[in-house]
C-alpha cells in the first residue's frame, strides 16, 4: 500500500505522462457519496472518464480533488471527485498506467460549482463546500 500522500503525485504524474506522449488519459473512479458524476454512466459502482484536455474544460487537480466540466450526451456537466476515489489512471491507447487502492474520503468538504441548485438535490447529507469550480462560457 502506498502512503496516502503519494497518490495525488502519482495520479498527476501518470496524467501528465499520458498528455505528453499524446495519449488519451482515462481515470477509473469508484463512485461514492462524495463523487459528483453523471449517474447514468456509472457501471458496477465505477465510472471511466476521458480526462484528455481536449475532452474536458477547466480541469483542476488540487487539494485532494479532481474537477472539470465535460459533455455527456451533448450536455455540459460539472464533474468532481476526491483523489481517494481514483482506482486507476491509464492511457486509452496502450492501457499503460497504474491502479490504486480506493479509500474512503476522510475530509468534511467537497468542491462546488457555485449555484447549480439541482446538481445534487437528491443528496440530503452533502458535506459542506470548500473549493469552488465555476463553469465559464
Amino acid at each position: 500500500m502506498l502512503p496516502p500522500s503519494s497518490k495525488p503525485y502519482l495520479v498527476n504524474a501518470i496524467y501528465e505522462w499520458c498528455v505528453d506522449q499524446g495519449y488519451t488519459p482515462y481515470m477509473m473512479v469508484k463512485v461514492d457519496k462524495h463523487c459528483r458524476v453523471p449517474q447514468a454512466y456509472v457501471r458496477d459502482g465505477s465510472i471511466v472518464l476521458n480526462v484528455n484536455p481536449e475532452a474536458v474544460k477547466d480541469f483542476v487537480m488540487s487539494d485532494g480533488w479532481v474537477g472539470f466540466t465535460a459533455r455527456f450526451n451533448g450536455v455540459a456537466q460539472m464533474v468532481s471527485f476526491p483523489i481517494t476515489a481514483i482506482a486507476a489512471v491509464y492511457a486509452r491507447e496502450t492501457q499503460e498506467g497504474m491502479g490504486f487502492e480506493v479509500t474512503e474520503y476522510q475530509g468534511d468538504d467537497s468542491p462546488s460549482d457555485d449555484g447549480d441548485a439541482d446538481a445534487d438535490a437528491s443528496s440530503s447529507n452533502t458535506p459542506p463546500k470548500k473549493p469552488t469550480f465555476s463553469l465559464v462560457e
Side-chain angles (χ1 to χ4, degrees):
M1 182 170 118
L2 296 171
S5 62
S6 66
K7 185 174 181 179
Y9 296 100
L10 294 171
V11 167
N12 188 56
I14 296 165
Y15 170 83
E16 291 294 334
W17 173 80
C18 288
V19 172
D20 288 350
Q21 299 305 309
Y23 296 144
T24 307
Y26 274 20
M27 288 186 182
M28 180 188 303
V29 177
K30 178 75 173 159
V31 178
D32 66 13
K33 65 182 179 181
H34 301 289
C35 299
R36 182 171 177 195
V37 299
Q39 294 298 311
Y41 297 91
V42 175
R43 299 287 179 259
D44 297 324
S46 296
I47 188 168
V48 176
L49 300 162
N50 174 352
V51 291
N52 189 329
E54 296 175 4
V56 300
K57 183 176 179 184
D58 302 325
F59 184 85
V60 177
M61 189 173 0
S62 67
D63 296 330
W65 285 86
V66 176
F68 54 88
T69 302
R71 293 197 170 272
F72 295 87
N73 204 24
V75 178
Q77 296 187 42
M78 188 66 204
V79 175
S80 65
F81 48 88
I83 289 178
T84 57
I86 297 173
V89 180
Y90 60 95
R92 181 192 70 189
E93 294 81 0
T94 66
Q95 302 297 302
E96 291 178 275
M98 183 177 281
F100 298 96
E101 179 179 354
V102 174
T103 57
E104 179 69 27
Y105 177 68
Q106 298 299 315
D108 60 337
D109 51 10
S110 63
S112 165
D113 70 342
D114 225 12
D116 188 0
D118 59 298
D120 214 8
S122 64
S123 177
S124 61
N125 59 352
T126 302
K129 312 289 184 205
K130 186 179 178 185
T132 301
F133 298 105
S134 299
L135 174 61
V136 179
E137 295 188 54

